Structure formats: structure tokens, C-alpha cells
Amino acid sequence: MTATTIPSGTSVSASSTPTCFPMTPNEVGYVPPEGCGNLLMYEASFVAPVLFCVLFGLTTIAHFAQAFVYKKRYAWVIIMGSLWELMAFIMRALFAKDQSSEAYDTCHVIFFLLAPIWVNAFIYMTLGRLVHFFIPNRRLGGLPAKRFGLVFVWLDITAFAVQLVGAAFTTGSDNSAETTMRGVHIYMGGIGLQELFILVFVWFLVVLQRRIARLEQHGALDVEKQSTGLNSVRDWRWLFYAMYATLFLISVRIFFRLAQYAQGTDLSNPVLTHEWYEYVWDAAPMFIALAILNVVHPGQVLRGPDSEFPRMSRAEKKERKRAKKQSKAEEREVKKRAKAEEKEAKKEANSGSAALDTPSTHQ
């Protein structure tokens, strides 16, 4: 009895059947589901991953260029997301030509399952900058703009860690059915957390959009920050629509993953025996999400000195460090002086007490 890895989050365990049969792999190393040592429940396509390599390669190049053009340092986050998607399909294409390779399979699983978390993080970081850019007191929901994005990024990292643990349990042809299912449940818990954080985030996104609309209605926005018309991608509303669409597409992918294992991990589950489900409900939504953020990039709206959190120059950091060091030295000097004065006061007090206690020689 053997267990099979579920690549792309779709591994199944051959342990779900009582026995397997020794079979000779075909020219690309594929073994049918009833064979021993199979890694997939279908023969993987080579053309499909190559197509998505091209698509994700194009959006990755575009995000690199836009990060440079719009001078958005934090865009490295979405570049990582698109790069991980690209790496996932490079691994998938290599695996299609060697379907007995656990290394290619495992790399594909990790990159493919976890790449969307980078896109999530980029959206969270964008919202923090929108708060800093548009809201006069630079706070939303009681949190400062900079900390707001940080909180959601750390929540995203938590979901990332849970999913990573689950994905690790689902890889490896020597895993038992129990181990594989444990990994599946952990991974599903992780993407459930991710969706919960998205829903909470969307609520804040709606609140921010309404606040900006009110500020604009009352003429409280600077001219350069106001809408330039819905026919322009620089209109801040378009960026909100793009963020809503991106989060919706990520949610589609999450619900697909949750539904994927609703029927278990045996051959009666069509999602695990047909490759096209993953391309339609996971790969395609993620490519569209990345492409949307190419068409309506945050850099088109976040322009000018307030578009980024303030950064200190090297000279300013050096001066701040020097001032901090000087402040600590002065504080130590004050404490040292206070201790010396206290010691002197005690010495004088003891001396006066001794004089009073000395008996007089004149009666």
C-alpha cells in the first residue's frame, strides 16, 4: 500500500484503495491511479503549464517595470507573488516531462499554493498607503496608517505559515493516508483563516472609500488627489474597484480549494482526477488578479510626497542615532550626578548625627 502526493493541492492518497498494482511508467513517467507509486491521478499536460509560464512571465515583467516607473519600493511584494506563480508553472512543466519526480512536484505545490498570499499582502500594504495619502489624521479604525497595513500583513503571514505546514504534509509519496489528510485539513484551516482576514479587510476598505468620498464631496481633498473622471485610471475609485476585484478573485480561488476536498481524496472526486479544474479556478483567477493590478496600478493614484510613508535619509538616520546616543550619555551623567549628591547628603547627615551623639566635656 502506498500514498501519493497531491500536487497543486490536489494530491490524493493511493492508500484509499486496499492495494496497488505494479505498472511500468510511460515515456514521461506517468503511472495510472491504480498503479503503485503514482504522484497524480491524471497525466499532466505540458502545454497548459507552458501557456501559464508565458502569461505569468508577462505580468511579472510588467510589475517589474511599473515598480521602477512609479518608484514603488513596496511593489517587490506583488513581484514575489507573480514570480512564485511563474516558478510554480516552470516546475509543473518540468514535472509534466518527468511525472515520477517528487522534487518537481513538491516545488510546484509549495509555490502554487502560497503565491496568492503575496498578492494579499500587497493589497494590505496599499491600503495603509491610501490611508496615509488621503486621510488627514492618517488613521483608520483607530490604527495609524503604517501600523494598519503591518497588522494585516502579519495576519497574512500567520495564514501563510498554517498553509505551508499543511502543504508540507501533503507532499511525499511515502506519506500515509492519515498524514496526507492531516495536511489537507491544516491547509484548509489556513486558507479559511486567509478568507476571514480578507472579509475583515474588505470592511475596512469600504469604510476608507466612504471617508475619501465624503472628504472629496466637502472639498477637503487636495486638487491633485481628487477624481480626474472615471475615464482615467488615475481616479482613486478605479484603484478601489481593482482591489475589490483582486480580493474577489483570490476568494474564488480559496472557495475552490475548500470545495476541492469536500468529497474526500479518492477517485470519486472529479476535481482530483481532472487537471482543468486547477487551471480554471486557481491559475486563471490569479493571473487575472495580477493583470488587473497591472492595468490599474497603485502607482497611478499614489503620486507625490504623501504617497509613501516618510523615509529618513542616511544622514538623518546617522543624526538620529547620534542624538539618541548623546541623550543616553546625558541621562547617565544626570543619574551619576544625582547618586553623588545623594551620597554626599547621606554623608553630611551621618556626620551631623554623630556630632549630636558626642557627650559634652563641660558639666
Side-chain angles (χ1 to χ4, degrees), residues 178-263:
E178 182 182 357
T179 299
T180 299
M181 283 310 301
R182 184 183 300 118
V184 168
H185 292 149
I186 292 172
Y187 176 74
M188 290 175 71
I191 59 177
L193 272 177
Q194 186 182 2
E195 182 60 26
L196 174 63
F197 299 151
I198 286 174
L199 292 174
V200 174
F201 179 81
V202 167
W203 183 82
F204 281 105
L205 196 58
V206 171
V207 170
L208 178 61
Q209 183 179 1
R210 290 180 174 178
R211 285 188 64 181
I212 296 174
R214 283 198 299 269
L215 288 170
E216 186 177 57
Q217 185 179 3
H218 292 91
L221 286 183
D222 295 337
V223 175
E224 65 273 11
K225 296 179 182 179
Q226 294 177 14
S227 298
T228 55
L230 288 178
N231 61 337
S232 170
V233 292
R234 287 195 59 188
D235 185 283
W236 59 265
R237 288 178 178 82
W238 277 116
L239 180 55
F240 277 84
Y241 300 151
M243 293 167 73
Y244 289 132
T246 300
L247 293 173
F248 171 76
L249 289 164
I250 293 174
S251 296
V252 167
R253 178 253 181 198
I254 287 174
F255 287 123
F256 162 67
R257 289 299 177 184
L258 290 172
Q260 186 174 22
Y261 299 105
Q263 298 180 39

Coordinates of all heavy atoms in Angstrom, one line a residue, residues 178-263:
E178 N -3.4 8.9 6.5 CA -3.7 9.8 7.6 C -2.9 11.0 7.6 O -3.4 12.1 7.9 CB -3.5 8.9 8.9 CG -3.8 9.7 10.2 CD -3.5 8.9 11.4 OE1 -3.1 7.7 11.3 OE2 -3.7 9.4 12.5
T179 N -1.6 10.9 7.3 CA -0.7 12.1 7.3 C -1.2 13.0 6.2 O -1.2 14.3 6.4 CB 0.7 11.6 7.0 OG1 1.1 10.8 8.1 CG2 1.6 12.9 6.9
T180 N -1.5 12.5 5.0 CA -2.0 13.3 3.9 C -3.2 14.1 4.2 O -3.3 15.3 4.0 CB -2.2 12.5 2.6 OG1 -1.0 11.9 2.2 CG2 -2.7 13.3 1.5
M181 N -4.2 13.4 4.9 CA -5.4 14.1 5.2 C -5.2 15.1 6.3 O -5.9 16.2 6.3 CB -6.5 13.1 5.7 CG -7.1 12.3 4.5 SD -7.8 13.4 3.2 CE -8.9 14.4 4.1
R182 N -4.3 14.8 7.2 CA -4.0 15.8 8.3 C -3.4 17.1 7.6 O -3.8 18.2 7.9 CB -2.9 15.3 9.2 CG -2.7 16.2 10.4 CD -1.6 15.7 11.3 NE -2.0 14.4 11.9 CZ -1.3 13.3 11.7 NH1 -0.2 13.3 11.0 NH2 -1.7 12.2 12.3
G183 N -2.6 16.9 6.6 CA -2.0 18.1 5.9 C -3.1 18.8 5.1 O -3.1 20.1 5.1
V184 N -4.1 18.1 4.5 CA -5.2 18.7 3.8 C -6.0 19.6 4.8 O -6.4 20.7 4.5 CB -6.1 17.6 3.2 CG1 -7.4 18.2 2.7 CG2 -5.3 17.0 2.0
H185 N -6.3 19.0 6.0 CA -7.1 19.8 7.0 C -6.4 21.0 7.5 O -7.0 22.1 7.7 CB -7.5 18.8 8.1 CG -8.5 17.7 7.7 ND1 -8.5 16.5 8.3 CD2 -9.4 17.7 6.7 CE1 -9.4 15.7 7.7 NE2 -10.0 16.5 6.8
I186 N -5.1 20.9 7.7 CA -4.3 22.0 8.2 C -4.3 23.1 7.1 O -4.5 24.3 7.4 CB -2.9 21.6 8.5 CG1 -2.9 20.7 9.8 CG2 -2.0 22.9 8.8 CD1 -1.5 20.1 10.1
Y187 N -4.1 22.7 5.8 CA -4.1 23.6 4.7 C -5.4 24.3 4.6 O -5.5 25.6 4.4 CB -3.7 22.9 3.4 CG -3.8 23.8 2.2 CD1 -2.8 24.8 2.0 CD2 -4.8 23.7 1.3 CE1 -2.9 25.7 0.9 CE2 -4.9 24.6 0.2 CZ -3.9 25.5 0.0 OH -4.0 26.4 -1.0
M188 N -6.5 23.6 4.7 CA -7.8 24.1 4.6 C -8.1 25.1 5.7 O -8.7 26.2 5.5 CB -8.9 23.0 4.6 CG -8.9 22.2 3.3 SD -10.1 20.8 3.4 CE -11.6 21.7 3.3
G189 N -7.6 24.8 6.9 CA -7.7 25.8 8.0 C -7.0 27.1 7.7 O -7.4 28.2 8.0
G190 N -5.8 26.9 7.1 CA -5.0 28.1 6.7 C -5.7 29.0 5.7 O -5.7 30.2 5.8
I191 N -6.3 28.4 4.7 CA -7.0 29.2 3.7 C -8.3 29.8 4.2 O -8.8 30.8 3.8 CB -7.2 28.5 2.3 CG1 -8.0 27.2 2.5 CG2 -5.9 28.2 1.7 CD1 -8.3 26.5 1.2
G192 N -8.9 29.0 5.2 CA -10.1 29.6 5.9 C -9.7 30.8 6.6 O -10.5 31.8 6.6
L193 N -8.6 30.8 7.3 CA -8.1 32.0 8.0 C -7.8 33.1 7.1 O -8.2 34.3 7.3 CB -6.8 31.7 8.8 CG -6.9 31.1 10.2 CD1 -5.5 30.8 10.7 CD2 -7.6 32.1 11.1
Q194 N -7.2 32.8 5.9 CA -6.9 33.8 4.9 C -8.2 34.5 4.4 O -8.3 35.7 4.3 CB -6.2 33.2 3.7 CG -5.7 34.2 2.7 CD -5.0 33.5 1.5 OE1 -5.0 32.2 1.4 NE2 -4.6 34.3 0.6
E195 N -9.3 33.7 4.2 CA -10.5 34.3 3.8 C -11.2 35.1 4.8 O -11.7 36.2 4.6 CB -11.5 33.2 3.3 CG -12.8 33.7 2.8 CD -12.7 34.6 1.5 OE1 -11.6 34.4 0.8 OE2 -13.6 35.4 1.3
L196 N -11.1 34.7 6.1 CA -11.6 35.5 7.2 C -10.9 36.9 7.3 O -11.6 37.9 7.4 CB -11.4 34.8 8.5 CG -11.8 35.5 9.8 CD1 -13.3 35.9 9.8 CD2 -11.4 34.7 11.0
F197 N -9.6 36.9 7.1 CA -8.8 38.2 7.2 C -9.2 39.0 6.0 O -9.3 40.3 6.1 CB -7.3 37.9 7.2 CG -6.8 37.1 8.3 CD1 -5.7 36.3 8.2 CD2 -7.5 37.2 9.5 CE1 -5.3 35.5 9.3 CE2 -7.1 36.4 10.7 CZ -5.9 35.6 10.5
I198 N -9.5 38.4 4.8 CA -9.9 39.2 3.6 C -11.2 39.8 3.9 O -11.4 41.0 3.6 CB -10.0 38.2 2.4 CG1 -8.6 37.9 1.9 CG2 -10.8 38.9 1.3 CD1 -8.6 36.9 0.8
L199 N -12.2 39.1 4.5 CA -13.5 39.7 4.8 C -13.4 40.9 5.7 O -14.1 41.9 5.5 CB -14.4 38.6 5.3 CG -14.8 37.5 4.3 CD1 -15.6 36.4 5.0 CD2 -15.6 38.1 3.1
V200 N -12.6 40.7 6.8 CA -12.4 41.9 7.7 C -11.8 43.0 7.0 O -12.2 44.2 7.2 CB -11.5 41.4 8.9 CG1 -11.2 42.6 9.8 CG2 -12.2 40.3 9.7
F201 N -10.8 42.7 6.1 CA -10.1 43.8 5.4 C -11.1 44.5 4.4 O -11.0 45.8 4.3 CB -9.0 43.2 4.6 CG -8.2 44.1 3.8 CD1 -7.2 44.9 4.3 CD2 -8.4 44.3 2.4 CE1 -6.5 45.8 3.6 CE2 -7.7 45.2 1.7 CZ -6.7 46.0 2.2
V202 N -11.9 43.8 3.8 CA -12.9 44.4 2.8 C -13.8 45.4 3.6 O -14.1 46.5 3.0 CB -13.7 43.3 2.1 CG1 -14.9 44.0 1.4 CG2 -12.9 42.6 1.1
W203 N -14.1 45.1 4.8 CA -14.9 46.0 5.6 C -14.2 47.4 5.8 O -14.7 48.4 5.6 CB -15.3 45.4 7.0 CG -16.1 46.3 7.8 CD1 -17.5 46.5 7.7 CD2 -15.7 47.2 8.8 NE1 -17.9 47.4 8.7 CE2 -16.9 47.9 9.3 CE3 -14.5 47.6 9.4 CZ2 -16.8 48.8 10.4 CZ3 -14.4 48.5 10.4 CH2 -15.6 49.1 10.9
F204 N -12.9 47.3 6.1 CA -12.1 48.5 6.3 C -11.9 49.2 4.9 O -11.9 50.4 4.9 CB -10.7 48.1 6.8 CG -10.6 47.9 8.3 CD1 -10.5 46.6 8.8 CD2 -10.7 49.0 9.2 CE1 -10.5 46.4 10.2 CE2 -10.6 48.7 10.6 CZ -10.5 47.5 11.1
L205 N -11.8 48.4 3.9 CA -11.7 49.0 2.5 C -12.9 49.9 2.2 O -12.8 51.0 1.7 CB -11.5 47.9 1.5 CG -10.9 48.3 0.1 CD1 -9.6 49.0 0.2 CD2 -10.8 47.1 -0.8
V206 N -14.1 49.3 2.5 CA -15.4 50.0 2.3 C -15.4 51.3 3.1 O -15.8 52.4 2.6 CB -16.6 49.1 2.6 CG1 -17.9 49.9 2.5 CG2 -16.6 48.0 1.6
V207 N -15.0 51.2 4.4 CA -15.0 52.4 5.3 C -14.1 53.5 4.7 O -14.5 54.6 4.7 CB -14.6 52.0 6.7 CG1 -14.4 53.2 7.6 CG2 -15.6 51.1 7.3
L208 N -12.9 53.1 4.3 CA -12.0 54.1 3.7 C -12.6 54.7 2.5 O -12.4 55.9 2.3 CB -10.7 53.4 3.4 CG -9.6 54.3 2.8 CD1 -9.2 55.5 3.7 CD2 -8.3 53.5 2.4
Q209 N -13.1 53.9 1.6 CA -13.7 54.5 0.4 C -14.8 55.5 0.7 O -14.8 56.6 0.0 CB -14.3 53.4 -0.5 CG -14.8 53.9 -1.9 CD -15.4 52.8 -2.7 OE1 -15.4 51.6 -2.3 NE2 -15.8 53.2 -3.9
R210 N -15.6 55.3 1.6 CA -16.7 56.2 2.0 C -16.1 57.5 2.6 O -16.6 58.6 2.4 CB -17.6 55.5 3.0 CG -18.5 54.5 2.3 CD -19.4 53.8 3.3 NE -20.4 52.9 2.7 CZ -21.3 52.2 3.3 NH1 -21.4 52.3 4.6 NH2 -22.1 51.4 2.6
R211 N -15.0 57.3 3.4 CA -14.4 58.5 4.0 C -13.8 59.4 3.0 O -13.9 60.6 3.0 CB -13.4 58.1 5.1 CG -14.0 57.6 6.4 CD -12.9 57.3 7.4 NE -12.2 58.6 7.8 CZ -11.3 58.6 8.7 NH1 -10.8 57.5 9.3 NH2 -10.7 59.8 9.0
I212 N -13.1 58.8 2.0 CA -12.5 59.6 1.0 C -13.5 60.3 0.1 O -13.4 61.5 -0.2 CB -11.6 58.7 0.1 CG1 -10.4 58.1 0.9 CG2 -11.1 59.5 -1.1 CD1 -9.6 57.1 0.1
A213 N -14.6 59.6 -0.2 CA -15.7 60.2 -0.9 C -16.3 61.4 -0.2 O -16.6 62.4 -0.8 CB -16.8 59.1 -1.2
R214 N -16.5 61.3 1.1 CA -17.0 62.4 1.9 C -16.0 63.6 1.9 O -16.4 64.7 1.8 CB -17.3 62.0 3.3 CG -18.6 61.1 3.5 CD -19.1 61.1 4.9 NE -18.1 60.5 5.8 CZ -18.0 59.2 6.1 NH1 -18.9 58.4 5.5 NH2 -17.1 58.7 6.9
L215 N -14.8 63.3 2.1 CA -13.8 64.3 2.0 C -13.8 65.1 0.7 O -13.7 66.3 0.6 CB -12.4 63.8 2.3 CG -12.1 63.3 3.7 CD1 -10.7 62.5 3.8 CD2 -12.0 64.5 4.7
E216 N -13.9 64.3 -0.4 CA -13.9 64.9 -1.7 C -15.2 65.7 -1.9 O -15.2 66.8 -2.5 CB -13.9 63.8 -2.8 CG -13.7 64.4 -4.2 CD -13.6 63.2 -5.2 OE1 -14.5 62.4 -5.3 OE2 -12.6 63.2 -6.0
Q217 N -16.3 65.2 -1.4 CA -17.6 65.9 -1.5 C -17.6 67.3 -0.8 O -18.2 68.3 -1.3 CB -18.7 65.1 -1.0 CG -20.1 65.6 -1.2 CD -21.2 64.7 -0.6 OE1 -20.9 63.7 0.0 NE2 -22.4 65.1 -0.8
H218 N -16.8 67.3 0.3 CA -16.8 68.6 1.1 C -15.6 69.4 0.7 O -15.2 70.4 1.4 CB -16.8 68.3 2.6 CG -18.1 67.7 3.1 ND1 -18.3 66.3 3.1 CD2 -19.2 68.3 3.5 CE1 -19.5 66.1 3.6 NE2 -20.1 67.3 3.9
G219 N -14.9 69.1 -0.3 CA -13.7 69.9 -0.8 C -12.5 69.8 0.1 O -11.7 70.8 0.2
A220 N -12.4 68.7 0.9 CA -11.3 68.6 1.9 C -10.1 67.9 1.3 O -9.1 67.7 2.0 CB -11.8 67.9 3.1
L221 N -10.1 67.5 0.0 CA -9.0 66.8 -0.6 C -8.2 67.8 -1.5 O -8.8 68.7 -2.1 CB -9.5 65.7 -1.5 CG -10.0 64.4 -0.9 CD1 -10.3 63.4 -2.0 CD2 -9.0 63.8 0.1
D222 N -6.9 67.7 -1.5 CA -6.1 68.5 -2.4 C -6.5 68.2 -3.8 O -7.0 67.2 -4.2 CB -4.6 68.1 -2.2 CG -4.1 68.5 -0.8 OD1 -4.7 69.3 -0.1 OD2 -3.1 67.8 -0.4
V223 N -6.3 69.2 -4.6 CA -6.7 69.1 -6.0 C -6.1 67.9 -6.7 O -6.8 67.2 -7.5 CB -6.4 70.4 -6.8 CG1 -6.7 70.3 -8.3 CG2 -7.1 71.6 -6.2
E224 N -4.8 67.7 -6.5 CA -4.2 66.6 -7.2 C -4.6 65.2 -6.7 O -4.4 64.2 -7.4 CB -2.6 66.7 -7.1 CG -2.1 66.5 -5.6 CD -2.1 67.8 -4.9 OE1 -2.7 68.8 -5.3 OE2 -1.5 67.8 -3.8
K225 N -5.3 65.2 -5.6 CA -5.8 63.9 -5.1 C -7.3 63.6 -5.5 O -7.8 62.5 -5.2 CB -5.7 63.8 -3.6 CG -4.3 63.9 -3.1 CD -4.2 63.9 -1.5 CE -2.8 64.0 -1.0 NZ -2.7 64.0 0.4
Q226 N -7.9 64.6 -6.0 CA -9.3 64.5 -6.4 C -9.5 63.6 -7.6 O -8.6 63.4 -8.4 CB -10.0 65.8 -6.5 CG -10.1 66.6 -5.3 CD -10.7 68.0 -5.5 OE1 -11.2 68.3 -6.5 NE2 -10.5 68.9 -4.5
S227 N -10.8 63.2 -7.9 CA -11.1 62.4 -9.0 C -10.8 63.1 -10.3 O -11.1 64.3 -10.4 CB -12.5 61.9 -9.0 OG -12.8 61.1 -7.9
T228 N -10.2 62.4 -11.3 CA -10.0 63.1 -12.6 C -11.0 62.6 -13.6 O -10.8 62.8 -14.8 CB -8.5 62.8 -13.0 OG1 -8.3 61.4 -13.0 CG2 -7.5 63.4 -12.1
G229 N -12.0 61.9 -13.2 CA -13.0 61.4 -14.1 C -12.8 59.9 -14.2 O -11.7 59.3 -14.3
L230 N -14.0 59.1 -14.3 CA -13.9 57.7 -14.4 C -13.3 57.1 -15.6 O -13.1 55.9 -15.7 CB -15.3 57.1 -14.2 CG -15.9 57.3 -12.8 CD1 -17.3 56.7 -12.8 CD2 -15.1 56.5 -11.8
N231 N -13.0 58.0 -16.6 CA -12.3 57.6 -17.8 C -10.8 57.5 -17.6 O -10.1 57.2 -18.5 CB -12.7 58.4 -19.0 CG -12.3 59.9 -18.8 OD1 -12.1 60.3 -17.6 ND2 -12.1 60.6 -19.9
S232 N -10.4 57.9 -16.5 CA -8.9 58.0 -16.2 C -8.6 56.9 -15.1 O -9.2 56.8 -14.1 CB -8.5 59.4 -15.7 OG -7.2 59.4 -15.2
V233 N -7.5 56.2 -15.3 CA -7.1 55.2 -14.4 C -6.5 55.9 -13.1 O -6.3 55.2 -12.1 CB -6.0 54.2 -15.0 CG1 -6.6 53.3 -16.0 CG2 -4.8 55.0 -15.5
R234 N -6.3 57.2 -13.2 CA -5.7 57.9 -12.0 C -6.8 58.2 -11.0 O -6.6 58.7 -10.0 CB -5.0 59.2 -12.5 CG -3.7 58.9 -13.1 CD -2.9 60.2 -13.2 NE -2.7 60.8 -11.9 CZ -2.1 62.0 -11.7 NH1 -1.7 62.7 -12.7 NH2 -1.9 62.4 -10.4
D235 N -8.1 58.0 -11.4 CA -9.2 58.2 -10.5 C -9.1 57.2 -9.3 O -8.9 56.0 -9.6 CB -10.5 58.0 -11.2 CG -11.7 58.4 -10.3 OD1 -12.0 57.5 -9.4 OD2 -12.3 59.4 -10.4
W236 N -9.1 57.7 -8.1 CA -8.8 56.8 -7.0 C -9.9 55.7 -6.9 O -9.6 54.6 -6.3 CB -8.7 57.6 -5.7 CG -9.9 58.4 -5.3 CD1 -10.2 59.7 -5.6 CD2 -11.1 58.0 -4.6 NE1 -11.4 60.2 -5.1 CE2 -12.0 59.1 -4.5 CE3 -11.5 56.8 -4.1 CZ2 -13.2 59.0 -3.9 CZ3 -12.7 56.7 -3.5 CH2 -13.6 57.8 -3.4
R237 N -11.1 56.0 -7.4 CA -12.1 54.9 -7.3 C -11.7 53.7 -8.1 O -12.1 52.6 -7.7 CB -13.5 55.5 -7.8 CG -14.1 56.5 -6.9 CD -15.4 57.0 -7.4 NE -16.0 58.0 -6.5 CZ -15.7 59.2 -6.3 NH1 -14.7 59.8 -7.1 NH2 -16.3 60.0 -5.4
W238 N -11.1 53.9 -9.2 CA -10.6 52.7 -10.0 C -9.7 51.8 -9.3 O -9.8 50.6 -9.4 CB -10.0 53.2 -11.3 CG -10.9 53.5 -12.4 CD1 -11.1 54.8 -13.0 CD2 -11.8 52.6 -13.1 NE1 -12.1 54.7 -14.0 CE2 -12.5 53.4 -14.0 CE3 -12.1 51.3 -12.9 CZ2 -13.5 52.8 -14.9 CZ3 -13.1 50.7 -13.8 CH2 -13.8 51.5 -14.7
L239 N -8.9 52.4 -8.4 CA -8.0 51.6 -7.6 C -8.7 50.8 -6.6 O -8.4 49.6 -6.4 CB -6.9 52.5 -6.9 CG -5.9 51.7 -6.0 CD1 -5.2 50.6 -6.8 CD2 -4.9 52.7 -5.4
F240 N -9.8 51.3 -6.0 CA -10.6 50.6 -5.1 C -11.3 49.4 -5.8 O -11.4 48.3 -5.4 CB -11.6 51.5 -4.4 CG -11.1 52.2 -3.2 CD1 -10.3 53.4 -3.4 CD2 -11.2 51.7 -1.9 CE1 -9.8 54.0 -2.3 CE2 -10.7 52.3 -0.8 CZ -10.0 53.5 -1.0
Y241 N -11.8 49.7 -7.0 CA -12.5 48.7 -7.8 C -11.5 47.6 -8.1 O -11.9 46.4 -8.1 CB -13.1 49.2 -9.1 CG -14.1 50.3 -8.9 CD1 -14.3 51.4 -9.9 CD2 -14.9 50.4 -7.8 CE1 -15.2 52.4 -9.7 CE2 -15.8 51.4 -7.6 CZ -16.0 52.4 -8.5 OH -16.9 53.4 -8.4
A242 N -10.3 47.9 -8.5 CA -9.3 46.9 -8.8 C -9.0 46.0 -7.6 O -8.8 44.8 -7.7 CB -8.0 47.6 -9.3
M243 N -8.9 46.7 -6.4 CA -8.6 45.9 -5.2 C -9.8 45.0 -4.8 O -9.6 43.8 -4.4 CB -8.3 46.9 -4.0 CG -7.0 47.7 -4.2 SD -6.9 49.1 -3.1 CE -6.5 48.3 -1.6
Y244 N -11.0 45.5 -5.0 CA -12.2 44.6 -4.7 C -12.1 43.4 -5.7 O -12.4 42.3 -5.3 CB -13.5 45.4 -5.0 CG -13.8 46.4 -3.9 CD1 -14.2 47.7 -4.3 CD2 -13.7 46.1 -2.6 CE1 -14.5 48.7 -3.3 CE2 -14.0 47.1 -1.6 CZ -14.4 48.3 -2.0 OH -14.7 49.3 -1.0
A245 N -11.9 43.7 -7.0 CA -11.8 42.6 -8.0 C -10.7 41.6 -7.6 O -10.9 40.3 -7.7 CB -11.6 43.2 -9.4
T246 N -9.6 42.1 -7.2 CA -8.5 41.2 -6.9 C -8.8 40.3 -5.7 O -8.6 39.1 -5.7 CB -7.2 42.0 -6.6 OG1 -6.9 42.8 -7.7 CG2 -6.0 41.1 -6.2
L247 N -9.4 40.9 -4.7 CA -9.8 40.1 -3.5 C -10.9 39.1 -3.8 O -10.9 38.0 -3.3 CB -10.2 41.1 -2.4 CG -9.1 41.9 -1.8 CD1 -9.7 43.0 -0.8 CD2 -8.0 41.1 -1.1
F248 N -11.8 39.5 -4.7 CA -12.8 38.6 -5.1 C -12.2 37.4 -5.8 O -12.6 36.2 -5.6 CB -13.8 39.3 -6.1 CG -14.8 38.3 -6.7 CD1 -15.9 37.8 -6.0 CD2 -14.6 38.0 -8.1 CE1 -16.8 36.9 -6.6 CE2 -15.5 37.1 -8.7 CZ -16.6 36.6 -8.0
L249 N -11.3 37.6 -6.7 CA -10.6 36.5 -7.5 C -9.8 35.6 -6.5 O -9.8 34.4 -6.7 CB -9.7 37.1 -8.6 CG -10.5 37.7 -9.7 CD1 -9.6 38.6 -10.6 CD2 -11.2 36.6 -10.6
I250 N -9.2 36.2 -5.6 CA -8.5 35.4 -4.6 C -9.5 34.5 -3.8 O -9.2 33.4 -3.4 CB -7.6 36.3 -3.6 CG1 -6.5 36.9 -4.4 CG2 -7.1 35.5 -2.5 CD1 -5.7 37.9 -3.6
S251 N -10.6 35.1 -3.5 CA -11.7 34.4 -2.7 C -12.2 33.3 -3.6 O -12.5 32.2 -3.0 CB -12.8 35.4 -2.3 OG -12.3 36.3 -1.4
V252 N -12.4 33.5 -4.9 CA -12.8 32.4 -5.8 C -11.9 31.2 -5.7 O -12.3 30.1 -5.5 CB -12.9 32.9 -7.2 CG1 -13.1 31.7 -8.2 CG2 -14.1 33.8 -7.4
R253 N -10.6 31.6 -5.7 CA -9.6 30.5 -5.6 C -9.6 29.8 -4.2 O -9.5 28.6 -4.1 CB -8.2 31.2 -5.8 CG -7.0 30.3 -5.7 CD -6.3 30.5 -4.5 NE -5.1 29.7 -4.4 CZ -4.5 29.4 -3.3 NH1 -4.9 30.0 -2.1 NH2 -3.4 28.6 -3.2
I254 N -9.9 30.6 -3.2 CA -10.0 30.0 -1.8 C -11.2 29.0 -1.7 O -11.1 27.9 -1.2 CB -10.0 31.1 -0.8 CG1 -8.7 31.8 -0.6 CG2 -10.5 30.5 0.6 CD1 -8.7 33.0 0.3
F255 N -12.3 29.5 -2.2 CA -13.5 28.6 -2.1 C -13.4 27.4 -3.0 O -13.9 26.3 -2.6 CB -14.8 29.4 -2.6 CG -15.2 30.4 -1.5 CD1 -15.3 31.8 -1.9 CD2 -15.5 30.0 -0.2 CE1 -15.7 32.7 -0.9 CE2 -15.9 31.0 0.7 CZ -16.0 32.3 0.4
F256 N -12.6 27.5 -4.1 CA -12.4 26.3 -4.9 C -11.5 25.3 -4.1 O -11.8 24.1 -4.1 CB -11.6 26.7 -6.2 CG -10.9 25.5 -6.8 CD1 -11.6 24.5 -7.4 CD2 -9.5 25.5 -6.9 CE1 -11.0 23.4 -8.0 CE2 -8.9 24.4 -7.4 CZ -9.6 23.4 -8.0
R257 N -10.5 25.8 -3.4 CA -9.7 24.9 -2.6 C -10.5 24.3 -1.5 O -10.2 23.1 -1.1 CB -8.5 25.7 -2.1 CG -7.4 26.1 -3.1 CD -6.9 24.9 -3.8 NE -5.9 25.2 -4.8 CZ -5.3 24.3 -5.6 NH1 -5.6 23.1 -5.5 NH2 -4.5 24.7 -6.5
L258 N -11.4 25.0 -0.9 CA -12.2 24.5 0.2 C -13.1 23.4 -0.3 O -13.3 22.4 0.3 CB -13.0 25.6 0.9 CG -12.2 26.6 1.8 CD1 -13.1 27.7 2.2 CD2 -11.6 25.8 3.0
A259 N -13.7 23.7 -1.5 CA -14.6 22.7 -2.1 C -13.9 21.5 -2.7 O -14.5 20.4 -2.8 CB -15.4 23.4 -3.2
Q260 N -12.6 21.7 -3.0 CA -11.8 20.6 -3.6 C -11.8 19.3 -2.8 O -11.9 18.2 -3.4 CB -10.4 21.1 -3.7 CG -9.5 20.2 -4.5 CD -8.1 20.9 -4.7 OE1 -7.7 21.8 -3.9 NE2 -7.4 20.5 -5.7
Y261 N -11.8 19.4 -1.5 CA -11.7 18.2 -0.7 C -13.1 17.8 0.0 O -13.1 17.0 0.8 CB -10.7 18.4 0.4 CG -9.3 18.6 -0.2 CD1 -8.7 19.9 -0.2 CD2 -8.6 17.6 -0.9 CE1 -7.5 20.1 -0.8 CE2 -7.4 17.8 -1.4 CZ -6.8 19.0 -1.4 OH -5.6 19.3 -2.0
A262 N -14.1 18.5 -0.4 CA -15.4 18.2 0.2 C -15.9 16.8 -0.1 O -16.6 16.2 0.8 CB -16.5 19.2 -0.4
Q263 N -15.4 16.2 -1.2 CA -15.8 14.8 -1.5 C -14.7 13.8 -1.1 O -14.7 12.6 -1.5 CB -16.1 14.6 -3.0 CG -17.3 15.5 -3.5 CD -17.5 15.3 -4.9 OE1 -17.4 14.2 -5.4 NE2 -17.9 16.3 -5.6

